[in-house]
Amino acid sequence: MKVKLENLSKRWGKVVGADHINLDINDGEFVAFLGPSGCGKTTTLLMVAGIYKPTEGNIWFDNQVVNYMTPKDRNIGMVFQSYALYPHMNVFQNISYPLKLKKVPKNDMRERAQRVADMMGIGHLMDRRPAQLSGGQQQRVALGRALVKEPQLLLFDEPLSNLDARLRLSMRGEIKRLVIELGITAIYVTHDQVEAMTMADRIAVMKEGKLQAYDPPDELYDQPRTLFVAGFVGNPPMNFLEVEVSRKNGDYHAHREKFDAIVPTEQGEKTAGKGNVIMGIRPEDITISDEGVGGEIYVVEPLGRDDLVTVQIGEAIVHVLADPVLGLKMGQNVTLDFSTHKVQFFDPQTEKSLLWAE
Amino acid sequence: MTLRKRFGRAVPYVLLIITVLPVIVGYFWLILSSFSISTEGLRSTGFTLSNWSFLRGSPFGRGYPSIWKVTLNTFVVAIGMTIAVIVVSSLAGYALSRLNFPGRKSFLSLTLILHAFPSVTLLIGIYFVLRTLKLYNTVLGVGLVMIGFELPFGIWLMKGFFDNVSWDMERAAMIDGASRLRVWGEIILPTIKPGIAALAIFAFISGWNAWLIPKTFTIGAGQQATLSVYLENFRGDTVAVQWGAVTAVGLFQLIPVAIFFIFTQDLLLSIYAGGAKGGT
Ligand SMILES: Nc1ncnc2c1ncn2[C@@H]1O[C@H](COP(=O)(O)OP(=O)(O)O)[C@@H](O)[C@H]1O
Ligand SMILES: [Mg+2]
């Protein structure tokens, strides 16, 4: 099923939950809503579910506006962060509750619930109460309950946030596989950019109720359209430096106090002569080399595969991912090479990218 | 175990025994007295069953109701009150907790004010209302007034329990295809069972033990009397107080409450000790 949000807004008096959201979701597409806590992800999702009525705008399911359709008529399945299992019902009753409400015959109901439970690997726990299950098992029951009525749209609201790191990793893969296998259109809300990047076909980045970007993960990462997206996606986050770009002896240079780096021509052409701009560069795109910009190491944090090195350049601070083999130490002087074609530039006023115009 | 440790363990018990002792002595005397001709301190002057004779016939002579009629009245008031308070409170509490309707805030504060309001000050006003409605000196009238006085408390209690039920669970049920009424009945109510049980116990006991309202709105120990009012007749102004009979009727009145407590004390304890715990 295709989903389309058209100018969708939700307000409670002065509080804005969602602000004129426009996006299309293709049939069978897996879309993530990504943004910090309080940015309106849940609000938007609950409007799609029919729990909240939009203040403004339309929700389309295929060719139908569903604004006033009740949740039960929308044929959707939803998984909540808190699992939202019914504590007084056992696993079987939880999973089969949607079927019971649809008045599916008893035998049919039993069979379908068992099939879904087996698929989720909880077929042997049918008689347990939710309180007798582990977090991961509860999550599976919640998934089973959402899937049992064979919905046309699956909604997830931070379903993995309550699980421990290991389990989160394995459930992440499982959910992705399941959704792709079943071919159901899915919206997955998360504040964890890794989850969004790894699972979704497209990511809708939100901030303060507004849609910031709606792109496939790699584009979001390599061509961030706003300063916010650039800073939010990627870990450790992108470095930002206020610089001025100008042309000297045929090369473009980005410079600021105690800082001068060569910028690729493509980016230089779009930013030279624009006064102060914000340069963005990811920690993994800066290399420690023999020549470049000099700075002093403020602190070194080993991350295992890499060292996260914080370098002070004049007033500015940049984070660099460095090979632990280099054995960098606090207080040491290093030179950094900023010359990469992955460097980003943003307008400090509009916070929009100067490279990837709409 | 060292002596010190042993001593440390004994202290709470000693304190408990000291505080509970007067109560136990009181009950002991109550039982003793009801089976005695008279008592001197905690000593009986002789065994008798005559104090319990009120169980047969009418102790105050013709025209007065039998104890069974009065017990029935009390049951009707207490059970009726329990049912009405639970139904109204759980519906109103749900609405106040979940729905956003005009006047919700003022309704809430009004309920709180009514709960804190000394009911005695309303008695005269209610008397006139009952007279007008021809409900003065009826079990129904007494029941309605007591329901009215109990509701603010009940609604607040139930609202609190509903507030603790996660919204997600309700949303999940609506997405699963349940109507609001089904969500309320099949999902929310079962998860706040301990709360309902607590309110039922409170309502039943306050209905069963009520004295002020039945006393005010019924005439003496008439056909519409409840046990507390009836009990009072044993210490009329003209005759000497029949302590033996008073204790026997008192014990009689105590029996249902005691049974109630025995069956619900685990539940009550869990409510008092940590609020209702209802899974996730
Ligand atoms: N029922 C509500 N009433 C009033 N404000 C709300 C309600 N639900 C959410 N909000 C507000 O809307 C904003 C977005 O919330 P939410 O969608 O829950 O954010 P997210 O899920 O992205 O963390 C927040 O400022 C929140 O306080
Ligand atoms: Mg949320």
Side-chain angles (χ1 to χ4, degrees):
Chain A
M1 192 177 68
K2 279 191 291 195
V3 179
K4 180 182 165 119
L5 310 184
E6 196 178 61
N7 258 323
L8 194 64
S9 302
K10 179 72 187 177
R11 293 183 288 271
W12 295 270
K14 283 202 186 94
V15 181
V16 178
D19 195 0
H20 295 96
I21 305 235
N22 281 292
L23 61 82
D24 277 286
I25 301 170
N26 297 323
D27 185 33
E29 197 173 16
F30 192 140
V31 167
F33 287 178
L34 175 65
S37 170
C39 73
K41 307 179 296 286
T42 299
T43 304
T44 310
L45 201 68
L46 289 177
M47 282 194 282
V48 175
I51 302 288
Y52 285 168
K53 297 274 167 284
T55 313
E56 195 184 327
N58 289 317
I59 302 163
W60 294 77
F61 282 7
D62 284 332
N63 298 317
Q64 197 186 1
V65 174
V66 295
N67 288 18
Y68 296 101
M69 198 187 262
T70 56
K72 74 176 196 177
D73 293 328
R74 296 194 185 199
N75 198 19
I76 48 181
M78 183 155 173
V79 180
F80 294 84
Q81 176 178 356
S82 61
Y83 317 130
L85 299 178
Y86 313 129
H88 57 293
M89 298 185 187
N90 65 23
V91 170
F92 168 72
Q93 289 163 327
N94 264 282
I95 292 181
S96 59
Y97 190 62
L99 301 179
K100 185 180 151 198
L101 293 171
K102 273 191 169 182
K103 302 203 168 59
V104 172
K106 272 253 160 63
N107 286 337
D108 209 11
M109 190 162 98
R110 196 152 267 291
E111 202 178 298
R112 279 170 71 178
Q114 188 66 46
R115 188 152 23 106
V116 168
D118 288 340
M119 183 167 79
M120 299 310 309
I122 44 168
H124 57 295
L125 302 171
M126 287 299 223
D127 297 326
R128 299 264 191 99
R129 289 285 175 94
Q132 298 167 304
L133 300 175
S134 71
Q137 289 168 331
Q138 291 186 26
Q139 189 57 267
R140 284 160 199 274
V141 177
L143 257 167
R145 188 180 61 185
L147 289 172
V148 76
K149 59 180 171 178
E150 293 161 8
Q152 286 185 291
L153 175 65
L154 269 175
L155 307 176
F156 298 89
D157 192 356
E158 315 221 8
L160 305 182
S161 312
N162 284 0
L163 300 179
D164 63 63
R166 267 182 90 91
L167 203 53
R168 201 179 309 160
L169 208 67
S170 65
M171 282 302 282
R172 196 169 82 194
E174 253 181 82
I175 290 179
K176 179 172 182 177
R177 195 185 155 84
L178 195 71
V179 172
I180 293 174
E181 261 179 4
L182 297 173
I184 306 178
T185 313
I187 304 178
Y188 188 103
V189 161
T190 177
H191 66 264
D192 179 347
Q193 45 107 11
V194 179
E195 253 172 46
M197 298 289 280
T198 50
M199 298 175 87
D201 297 322
R202 275 196 284 176
I203 300 175
V205 183
M206 294 178 67
K207 180 196 176 191
E208 289 163 8
K210 290 196 177 68
L211 187 64
Q212 295 278 311
Y214 183 41
D215 290 308
D218 50 345
E219 241 173 81
L220 212 57
Y221 195 76
D222 294 331
Q223 305 176 3
R225 280 159 212 280
T226 66
L227 193 64
F228 174 77
V229 173
F232 194 73
V233 174
N235 189 29
M238 190 182 272
N239 296 296
F240 295 115
L241 293 167
E242 200 159 297
V243 298
E244 202 166 325
V245 182
S246 58
R247 195 168 178 172
K248 254 186 271 171
N249 314 326
D251 282 330
Y252 288 97
H253 288 255
H255 48 87
R256 56 174 284 140
E257 175 221 359
K258 294 186 181 162
F259 181 97
D260 191 340
I262 292 182
V263 176
T265 314
E266 195 194 336
Q267 277 102 329
E269 278 173 350
K270 289 179 179 163
T271 50
K274 293 210 167 151
N276 277 345
V277 293
I278 295 171
M279 182 174 98
I281 186 162
R282 295 198 184 278
E284 64 265 34
D285 296 330
I286 304 174
T287 42
I288 305 224
S289 73
D290 300 333
E291 51 184 293
V293 181
E296 190 191 318
I297 295 181
Y298 181 74
V299 70
V300 179
E301 296 159 84
L303 300 178
R305 199 175 45 187
D306 301 300
D307 281 350
L308 177 60
V309 185
T310 308
V311 182
Q312 182 135 26
I313 305 169
E315 298 277 284
I317 292 267
V318 292
H319 299 285
V320 182
L321 282 180
D323 195 330
V325 172
L326 296 174
L328 298 172
K329 293 271 169 327
M330 216 164 102
Q332 196 179 331
N333 285 316
V334 286
T335 45
L336 304 176
D337 182 358
F338 284 85
S339 61
T340 165
H341 66 278
K342 286 189 178 170
V343 64
Q344 309 287 335
F345 287 96
F346 302 92
D347 183 317
Q349 261 77 51
T350 62
E351 305 199 339
K352 292 216 166 96
S353 173
L354 293 166
L355 309 179
W356 324 108
E358 325 265 309
Chain B
M1 204 189 289
T2 67
L3 202 65
R4 249 185 86 143
K5 257 194 189 157
R6 245 190 243 192
F7 183 71
R9 277 209 180 173
V11 169
Y13 286 100
V14 173
L15 284 176
L16 281 176
I17 288 168
I18 291 173
T19 37
V20 169
L21 204 62
V23 180
I24 291 179
V25 170
Y27 277 104
F28 174 75
W29 178 81
L30 197 64
I31 294 165
L32 182 78
S33 166
S34 73
F35 290 104
S36 304
I37 298 163
S38 67
T39 52
E40 292 168 357
L42 286 179
R43 233 161 19 88
S44 171
T45 53
F47 178 80
T48 174
L49 277 179
S50 67
N51 291 331
W52 291 88
S53 65
F54 68 86
L55 291 178
R56 281 182 292 106
S58 170
F60 306 127
R62 273 146 59 77
Y64 284 96
S66 77
I67 187 82
W68 300 109
K69 166 74 174 146
V70 174
T71 307
L72 183 70
N73 286 346
T74 317
F75 255 113
V76 168
V77 169
I79 300 272
M81 180 166 158
T82 308
I83 292 170
V85 164
I86 283 183
V87 171
V88 177
S89 303
S90 55
L91 282 167
Y94 179 71
L96 286 169
S97 167
R98 290 304 208 239
L99 307 179
N100 218 342
F101 52 89
R104 176 179 169 276
K105 277 250 164 67
S106 21
F107 190 97
L108 267 177
S109 31
L110 196 70
T111 336
L112 193 63
I113 293 168
L114 277 179
H115 179 43
F117 209 76
S119 46
V120 186
T121 54
L122 294 175
L123 289 182
I124 294 169
I126 290 170
Y127 169 76
F128 287 113
V129 174
L130 286 183
R131 276 275 298 263
T132 316
L133 295 175
K134 304 226 174 339
L135 289 174
Y136 178 70
N137 195 28
T138 60
V139 170
L140 179 64
V142 168
L144 283 178
V145 173
M146 293 207 325
I147 290 166
F149 278 127
E150 191 77 6
L151 274 180
F153 167 72
I155 290 172
W156 263 93
L157 191 77
M158 291 312 282
K159 179 191 171 286
F161 278 105
F162 283 120
D163 283 346
N164 280 332
V165 177
S166 92
W167 282 85
D168 281 356
M169 206 164 73
E170 198 165 346
R171 289 169 179 159
M174 285 176 70
I175 289 170
D176 282 351
S179 63
R180 221 173 229 295
L181 201 64
R182 277 192 93 141
V183 173
W184 177 79
E186 287 182 6
I187 305 295
I188 312 283
L189 279 194
T191 57
I192 57 162
K193 253 196 226 147
I196 294 176
L199 182 58
I201 293 161
F202 284 130
F204 181 84
I205 290 174
S206 80
W208 186 261
N209 289 341
W211 174 79
L212 180 65
I213 290 164
K215 169 77 180 163
T216 317
F217 300 125
T218 57
I219 302 169
Q223 293 293 333
Q224 306 294 319
T226 59
L227 275 172
S228 313
V229 179
Y230 195 71
L231 176 66
E232 213 192 343
N233 261 49
F234 286 97
R235 39 158 293 257
D237 298 332
T238 47
V239 286
V241 181
Q242 311 167 42
W243 285 117
V246 170
T247 51
V249 179
L251 268 183
F252 180 76
Q253 189 188 0
L254 205 83
I255 291 168
V257 179
I259 291 173
F260 221 76
F261 261 113
I262 289 166
F263 281 109
T264 56
Q265 66 173 336
D266 284 349
L267 196 63
L268 275 180
L269 266 182
S270 77
I271 290 161
Y272 283 127
K277 296 239 171 71
T280 33

